[in-house]
Amino acid sequence: MRFIHIADVHLGAQPDAGTAYSSGRAQEIWDSFSRVISLCEEEKTDVLLIAGDLFHRQPLLRELKEVNYLFSTLSHTQVVLIAGNHDYIKKGSYYRTFQWCENVHPLFGSEMGYVMLKEYDLAVYGLSYHTREIREERYSIKAPLAAAHEILLAHGGDEKHIPIRKEILENAGFDYIALGHIHKPQAVIRNMALYAGALEPVDQNDTGGHGFVRGEITENGVNVEFIPFASREYIHLALRVNEKMTNGSVKNHIQSTIESRGTQNIYKFILRGYRDADVEFDTEHMDIYGNILEIENQTQAAYNYEELYEQNRDNLIGKFIEQFQGYEEDSMEYQALQEGVQALLENCLR
């Protein structure tokens, strides 16, 4: 039995993606979800598992109709889904009354339930959020052995959203546990319990690759692999500058870095190091491709310490510089000199 496991799609989210991509980013999330559906049809995937937060908030009726249409295009794949903490099933939610096509099996109860897929001798278990938070453990269960193979859909992993303990999952007896809520893809238990992560990054802190888990249950056990699938990636990079660099050279450095890492990605840069004391970096005008969310300037001014010493030999600044005379520029002592002088000068200007 072959499956695809996705989670945290967050349809309806509108992530900040810089001037070039923000306006179309919400649609890109829909497009990636649609591409997963097309892939399921192309590969004749047996089961699509959706481990919560398909939507970023309460789904609109028209949005459910769009999703249901996509599910209806699947000629082979069975879909099983739960609601997470973002799209939790509150009173009046359209989730409560919506009529899904016949290959869709929602597990929308607040207590553990399951769906039996007889053609695969498979039972899929899960429960849905009916409030924004669930602070108690809900997955301390054993696989009931209702079928030859059993999968658990689970959404949570922090103190406010169903705490999850690895040792409980290890002894639960499920063939596979499809996890959602944590946006970074990761294995809790190798080949058994995995967070698929967000299908597309939806927050600038969702760094790294995103996609889905493809898996197969065979007579020899379960094999899974993470498939990168997102159209863009958030990348945070620290760039080291030096005293010879100007606005132009820093801008060119940022441009070449973006070109080497991918112009389709979305960036935050942190400038570190020591700049010429006469140079102030104009970070507002370094966004060549419109895909920079932030340039954080943590640089400090580098000074001519001989000249500064002559100007301040009779005060605290001069006496401090005197203690570090003779050290090489790449030494820890020279770095201490730079940081100390910067702090003293800043205090003098207050």
Side-chain angles (χ1 to χ4, degrees), residues 174-292:
F174 291 98
D175 293 86
Y176 182 72
I177 300 173
L179 294 165
H181 182 62
I182 306 300
H183 284 195
K184 183 178 179 62
Q186 56 195 277
V188 178
I189 305 168
R190 185 174 179 269
N191 272 339
M192 179 183 171
L194 282 81
Y195 283 101
L199 182 63
E200 286 274 348
V202 295
D203 181 270
Q204 65 173 295
N205 293 316
D206 287 348
T207 55
H210 288 79
F212 62 85
V213 173
R214 178 191 279 130
E216 185 176 16
I217 299 177
T218 70
E219 293 179 356
N220 298 321
V222 181
N223 292 301
V224 298
E225 62 176 332
F226 174 73
I227 307 297
F229 200 69
S231 56
R232 306 191 193 285
E233 183 178 332
Y234 285 104
I235 297 176
H236 294 185
L237 291 174
L239 298 182
R240 181 65 59 178
V241 305
N242 59 53
E243 299 165 37
K244 297 179 180 179
M245 298 181 79
T246 65
N247 270 279
S249 60
V250 170
K251 185 176 181 178
N252 287 340
H253 186 24
I254 288 174
Q255 180 178 352
S256 62
T257 300
I258 289 174
E259 289 170 352
S260 66
R261 299 293 293 265
T263 57
Q264 79 281 6
N265 295 318
I266 306 159
Y267 294 86
K268 173 183 176 179
F269 289 103
I270 303 170
L271 304 183
R272 291 177 178 156
Y274 289 87
R275 68 184 188 278
D276 188 307
D278 295 323
V279 173
E280 290 291 336
F281 293 135
D282 183 10
T283 58
E284 295 296 320
H285 297 91
M286 294 184 179
D287 190 1
I288 304 294
Y289 294 104
N291 58 352
I292 298 177

Side-chain angles (χ1 to χ4, degrees), residues 87-105:
D87 57 353
Y88 72 98
I89 302 175
K90 70 176 185 179
K91 183 179 180 180
S93 170
Y94 289 115
Y95 268 153
R96 292 180 177 269
T97 57
F98 190 77
Q99 297 298 307
W100 298 94
C101 52
E102 62 181 12
N103 64 321
V104 180
H105 312 278

Side-chain angles (χ1 to χ4, degrees), residues 141-142 166-174 189 192:
I141 62 171
K142 293 286 186 179
K166 177 181 177 180
E167 61 270 21
I168 290 176
L169 300 184
E170 283 179 319
N171 297 311
F174 291 98
I189 305 168
M192 179 183 171

